Amino acid sequence: MANQNSEVKKNVEIRNPGPLLNLSDKCMNIFPNLFDGFRVIVHKGLSHHFRVTHSIYLSSITPGNYRFGATYVGNKEIGVHEAVPVLLGDIDSSGNMNASIYHLFGSRFKVRFDGQMENRSFVNSQLTAHYFGNTFTASVVLANADIITKSGGLLLQYLQSVTPNLAIGTELAFLRNLVNKKYPEKTIMDVTETQVAVVGRYTTAHSVWSTVLSVNNILLSCYKKASDQIEFGIELNTNFRSNESVGSLAYKIKLQDRGIVFKGCVDTNTNIGSVYEQRICGSPFAFSVSANLNHRTSNFRLGLGFIVE
């Protein structure tokens, strides 16, 4: 009887690992979202399910624009502060548009579509389907599929929880591109490629280690929570085709009582960046300052932003 109880407890502890696409999200969320120039973002909630966003971007490097966004969240709750279906999109003053929609069917099947339009034509599209088992997640990703030119990408992903701390999986990618930008109706090169990758993630109470291994690439990432205020992220990306390897270190300092969040990063390409964000207590206003410097090229970019909610 004791062995049976311990076996049941072991099975309960092994949970769904989530999609393989989110393998290193913990680490990636530590890196700052750098920007340059001046931006103002205004969020306005119209109801419990619907809100809009107004954004103004001004920069000396890229043309400034205005962007309008809208988000709808449905009634079906699937977690803490999460509900479906979700429809979101935005359009800028040049007519370029991004849109996403995702929904959960039952309790295990989730579908998402992302699309991007420029100059009245689709430039990017992606259809993703996840199946959430008790201890695994199987995913199918169809990217930029074009039936007429028979091009696009297909990803088959599987991530399995082996123990409460360890998850392993694999990814199989089929890529096909028809290269002829000047005359799309004629094919001058038919590139078909198949790639296989093995992935793994080890999670503890205060750290997450993940890796992606393939013939052409090795990606290692690590997330470490030093305290309630300080977190670190480390990433090493090695590409055997280009014989390049880039290491990056990021950190996050959060002072909850003061409404301050400071993120910084540095990499082996001599890039140093940081973003300082502070929310004014008792008001819907927040401001941020972004700075990015490349020592090798002496290229420095500075950004100032305001957020109103």
Side-chain angles (χ1 to χ4, degrees):
M1 181 64 69
N3 292 335
Q4 183 178 359
N5 292 336
S6 63
E7 184 68 23
V8 173
K9 183 177 180 181
K10 181 179 179 181
N11 292 335
V12 172
E13 289 177 347
I14 301 178
R15 301 180 178 179
N16 183 282
L20 191 149
L21 291 173
N22 301 339
L23 186 73
S24 58
D25 275 4
K26 274 281 191 179
C27 177
M28 294 297 97
N29 290 337
I30 302 300
F31 284 79
N33 183 18
L34 302 171
F35 63 95
D36 60 82
F38 178 77
R39 70 178 186 181
V40 177
I41 302 176
V42 180
H43 300 287
K44 177 65 175 179
L46 303 181
S47 68
H48 182 68
H49 303 282
F50 191 74
R51 77 168 185 171
V52 296
T53 301
H54 304 274
S55 306
I56 298 176
Y57 297 89
L58 300 175
S59 174
S60 59
I61 300 175
T62 58
N65 61 41
Y66 164 78
R67 185 174 291 272
F68 173 79
T71 302
Y72 171 81
V73 180
N75 296 316
K76 183 179 180 180
E77 296 184 1
I78 60 175
V80 181
H81 305 299
E82 186 177 4
V84 290
V86 175
L87 295 85
L88 55 93
D90 60 72
I91 185 171
D92 64 15
S93 53
S94 300
N96 302 322
M97 184 176 66
N98 300 294
S100 299
I101 176 173
Y102 60 91
H103 188 49
L104 184 69
F105 298 92
S107 60
R108 296 182 180 272
F109 192 65
K110 185 176 182 179
V111 177
R112 174 168 181 151
F113 175 78
D114 299 281
Q116 181 181 5
M117 292 186 64
E118 291 183 3
N119 298 323
R120 299 181 181 179
S121 62
F122 270 104
V123 293
N124 287 303
S125 63
Q126 180 171 302
L127 179 64
T128 306
H130 302 294
Y131 178 80
F132 300 93
N134 293 332
T135 61
F136 70 91
T137 300
S139 306
V140 178
V141 181
L142 189 62
N144 294 328
D146 193 327
I147 299 176
I148 298 177
T149 60
K150 298 180 181 180
S151 63
L154 174 65
L155 303 180
L156 304 177
Q157 302 174 332
Y158 182 85
L159 189 62
Q160 171 76 55
S161 291
V162 180
T163 70
N165 304 102
L166 177 64
I168 60 175
T170 184
E171 178 184 76
L172 182 61
F174 300 94
L175 307 173
R176 184 177 184 184
N177 297 314
L178 302 184
V179 182
N180 192 334
K181 296 181 179 180
K182 188 174 182 180
Y183 302 104
E185 69 278 6
K186 297 181 180 180
T187 301
I188 61 175
M189 185 181 299
D190 188 347
V191 181
T192 303
E193 186 176 2
T194 302
Q195 300 178 2
V196 180
V198 179
V199 306
R201 181 179 63 200
Y202 185 79
T203 305
T204 66
H206 300 291
S207 63
V208 178
W209 300 78
S210 62
T211 180
V212 179
L213 305 177
S214 67
V215 176
N216 302 317
N217 189 73
I218 295 179
L219 178 62
L220 303 173
S221 63
C222 173
Y223 162 83
K224 177 67 176 179
K225 183 177 181 180
S227 66
D228 293 337
Q229 292 80 30
I230 303 176
E231 300 170 271
F232 293 96
I234 303 174
E235 183 182 78
L236 177 62
N237 192 347
T238 301
N239 191 308
F240 298 114
R241 285 185 171 179
S242 59
N243 293 323
E244 292 181 350
S245 184
V246 179
S248 304
L249 169 66
Y251 58 91
K252 176 182 177 181
I253 301 175
K254 185 176 182 179
L255 303 178
Q256 188 71 35
D257 55 340
R258 299 184 181 180
I260 296 175
V261 177
F262 185 83
K263 292 183 178 182
C265 64
V266 59
D267 63 29
T268 54
N269 288 332
T270 70
N271 290 306
I272 298 178
S274 62
V275 174
Y276 174 86
E277 301 177 357
Q278 181 170 9
R279 180 165 299 279
I280 302 176
C281 297
S283 71
F285 298 98
F287 72 91
S288 59
V289 179
S290 172
N292 185 19
L293 171 65
N294 185 295
H295 281 278
R296 186 178 302 171
T297 62
S298 298
N299 185 15
F300 177 73
R301 296 184 179 182
L302 181 67
L304 178 64
F306 293 90
I307 301 175
V308 183
E309 295 185 354

